[in-house]
Amino acid sequence: MEMDKIAIFDKISLLDNEFLNKPPAKDKWSIIQILHHLIQAEKATLNYIKKKTQSPEKLQKAGLIEKLKSLVLNYYLKSPKKWKAPAVVNTIPEQDNLENTIMIYNNNRNEWYSFLIQMPDDWARKKIFRHPITGRMDMHMTLDFLNLHAKRHFKQINSIMNDQFRITK
């Protein structure tokens, strides 16, 4: 996940803030807004997990049902099907600069890293996160979801860049 994030930052680092903040079409997110959506999704997920793990004895082990729901979610994340982002991760700024966006994203990832290295191993297969559509997931399923979610939006960023810089003859 971190390598994908670094790769997209490298790719967009030479673009100016005007381009990064310009939505490609009406009712579409700009590149900066997409990045802020990803930040919010990862932040909201971690906050939920931190809340749930305040009472780890209440966490139940994930089973086959959760695995099947996770596989369905992953299938949809890989498909071109679109759906509206939940309100909790849909409050994005109109504009920001790349440097600030990168700083926020990196701080959030550092918070994730700190949590994961301190997390007891026995929490990995517990129902630690509740996705708004598919329900409860263990940490492996949650990280798979976040990874595929980011890949989906990084593909969207690449598409915006390709559409903008396509040379027409």
Side-chain angles (χ1 to χ4, degrees), residues 11-166:
K11 201 166 196 178
I12 66 175
S13 66
L14 299 176
L15 301 173
D16 65 32
N17 281 312
E18 182 179 347
F19 177 80
L20 293 169
N21 281 286
K22 182 180 178 193
K26 186 177 176 4
D27 297 325
K28 298 287 184 187
W29 284 339
S30 70
I31 291 173
I32 289 288
Q33 289 173 318
I34 293 167
L35 293 173
H36 275 277
H37 165 72
L38 289 170
I39 293 165
Q40 285 182 353
E42 290 183 17
K43 183 73 171 167
T45 301
L46 183 58
N47 287 343
Y48 182 92
I49 289 170
K50 284 181 174 183
K51 182 180 174 188
K52 289 301 285 185
T53 56
Q54 288 177 355
S55 301
E57 69 281 356
K58 294 181 180 178
L59 297 173
Q60 297 175 341
K61 188 170 176 143
L64 182 59
I65 297 295
E66 289 80 20
K67 183 64 177 169
L68 291 173
K69 287 180 179 181
S70 177
L71 289 171
V72 169
L73 176 63
N74 292 347
Y75 169 80
Y76 277 106
L77 285 169
K78 292 176 185 176
S79 79
K81 182 171 173 49
K82 297 179 184 182
W83 59 86
K84 190 163 179 65
V88 71
V89 293
N90 204 15
T91 316
I92 52 178
E94 283 298 316
Q95 300 224 337
D96 198 0
N97 64 59
L98 183 59
E99 295 75 23
N100 188 57
T101 303
I102 289 173
M103 181 193 69
I104 295 168
Y105 211 149
N106 286 336
N107 288 343
N108 190 52
R109 284 287 177 90
N110 288 337
E111 195 175 340
W112 262 102
Y113 179 74
S114 295
F115 178 83
L116 289 171
I117 62 170
Q118 295 175 35
M119 184 184 91
D121 290 342
D122 65 328
W123 290 2
R125 293 294 178 195
K126 302 282 184 160
K127 293 189 260 187
I128 204 164
F129 174 64
R130 186 186 59 79
H131 186 274
I133 297 171
T134 57
R136 306 268 181 217
M137 300 177 164
D138 68 23
M139 185 57 79
H140 297 281
M141 294 171 203
T142 301
L143 292 174
D144 283 345
F145 155 67
L146 290 173
N147 182 42
L148 289 172
H149 180 245
K151 283 181 183 296
R152 178 182 180 92
H153 285 296
F154 291 159
K155 187 175 177 182
Q156 183 183 7
I157 289 170
N158 282 320
S159 178
I160 291 169
M161 291 173 57
N162 290 340
D163 288 349
Q164 180 64 33
F165 297 113
R166 183 170 288 130

